[in-house]
Amino acid sequence: MKNKFFLLMLVLVIGVLAACGAKENKDNSANSNADGTTEQKQVLKVGTSADYAPFEYVDAAKGEDIIGFDIDLIKLVGEKIGVDMQVQDMDFNSLVPALQAGKIDVVISGMTPNPEREQVVDFTDKYNETEQVIIVKKESGIKKEADLAGKKIGVQTASIQENLGNNIAKKVDATVEGRTRIPEIIQDMMSKRLDAGVLEGGVAKGYLKTNDKLAAFPVEEQPEDFKAIAVPKGSDLKDKINKALKELADEGKIQELEEKWLEKVE
């Protein structure tokens, strides 16, 4: 009887193992090529500076994920070119060096091409255009650039706004101070360590919505300001991403993202 029981149990165990093996083979075959090799999606590391709402930021009330216009866009680009986009947060002024060093594969961070950046990385076609504004406290009485004479203007280090701030400061005899992150500019304005800040219009809009003590007005001489995605110099990613961006624009997907995320300062 013991032998019969043992044999019965052995048959059952073998049957279970065979069923598991068949399921595993079936699952594996779903991700396998015709030659039996497994195909895995390529993963690209995407660098961004998640302090630039509504383009890339973390809404602590909703979770820890980085969200925003740029994040939605780069994920759609990833779907088009057949890769997984793995987004990681970095300081803005470290993005280009990280791309040069091969620590990341792509940069999307509201970045505007300029001669200095174009010497060391390649940029895709533009995917968004915007205006630049000066944000101030309402009580400051600052309503135009001339009112900034003798004042301290905050800018994000290594950004296009830093160049704008320097130009404005020379014109009106003001001082420019750099900050690593955008929220630092707003905090220092509120505590009167800064008198104003140069921000992109869409970014400023978010702060104006949540803080009724703030006001903003456009920079007098608006530069041609557009955003593009940065890739390593000579990378074939440039052509692939450009093709994806064109398809997304033709399909109306980029316009949908603009309607979802972006608003101009009025």
Side-chain angles (χ1 to χ4, degrees), residues 71-83 85 108 229 237 240-242 244-245 248:
I71 307 307
D72 280 0
L73 178 61
I74 201 64
K75 288 178 180 178
L76 289 176
V77 168
E79 291 175 9
K80 285 286 186 185
I81 65 177
V83 302
M85 297 292 191
I108 187 166
I229 299 168
L237 278 174
K240 292 179 181 178
I241 293 175
N242 279 341
L245 289 174
L248 291 169

Side-chain angles (χ1 to χ4, degrees), residues 111 147-148 168 179 198:
M111 186 172 283
D147 296 334
L148 291 168
I168 294 168
R179 299 291 188 270
V198 183

Side-chain angles (χ1 to χ4, degrees), residues 13-71:
V13 170
I14 291 172
V16 170
L17 291 176
C20 291
K23 184 179 184 300
E24 185 178 351
N25 288 337
K26 183 178 179 182
D27 292 342
N28 286 341
S29 65
N31 298 318
S32 297
N33 295 321
D35 60 1
T37 59
T38 301
E39 183 180 1
Q40 293 183 335
K41 258 191 175 181
Q42 181 185 3
V43 175
L44 294 183
K45 295 179 181 178
V46 180
T48 195
S49 180
D51 63 332
Y52 208 62
F55 291 93
E56 43 269 325
Y57 67 108
V58 175
D59 186 344
K62 296 180 180 179
E64 299 179 355
D65 292 339
I66 303 173
I67 59 175
F69 177 92
D70 283 350
I71 307 307

Side-chain angles (χ1 to χ4, degrees), residues 157-171:
T157 303
S159 68
I160 188 175
Q161 290 78 26
E162 183 175 37
N163 295 333
L164 281 174
N166 287 330
N167 292 338
I168 294 168
K170 289 177 183 177
K171 186 166 60 174

Side-chain angles (χ1 to χ4, degrees), residues 129-246:
E129 294 184 73
T130 189
E131 66 174 348
Q132 303 297 323
V133 303
I134 296 169
I135 192 166
V136 297
K137 290 180 71 174
K138 289 179 180 176
E139 66 180 28
S140 69
I142 299 172
K143 296 182 179 179
K144 56 184 183 298
E145 287 185 12
D147 296 334
L148 291 168
K151 306 295 185 181
K152 293 180 181 178
I153 305 171
V155 297
Q156 185 175 38
T157 303
S159 68
I160 188 175
Q161 290 78 26
E162 183 175 37
N163 295 333
L164 281 174
N166 287 330
N167 292 338
I168 294 168
K170 289 177 183 177
K171 186 166 60 174
V172 303
D173 192 23
T175 303
V176 172
E177 294 189 9
R179 299 291 188 270
T180 302
R181 298 259 176 174
I182 298 294
E184 296 172 21
I185 296 173
I186 304 301
Q187 290 167 7
D188 285 352
M189 277 178 46
M190 299 308 296
S191 60
K192 298 184 178 181
R193 288 191 288 270
L194 292 172
D195 301 293
V198 183
L199 270 65
E200 183 179 317
V203 176
K205 185 73 174 181
Y207 289 104
L208 296 174
K209 274 185 172 181
T210 57
N211 191 332
D212 60 7
K213 295 181 179 180
L214 297 175
F217 55 90
V219 169
E220 290 176 5
E221 296 180 16
Q222 288 285 336
E224 182 186 13
D225 182 22
F226 61 87
K227 297 173 183 56
I229 299 168
V231 297
K233 204 74 175 169
S235 171
D236 63 354
L237 278 174
K238 178 179 177 179
D239 291 338
K240 292 179 181 178
I241 293 175
N242 279 341
K243 183 174 182 292
L245 289 174
K246 185 178 186 309

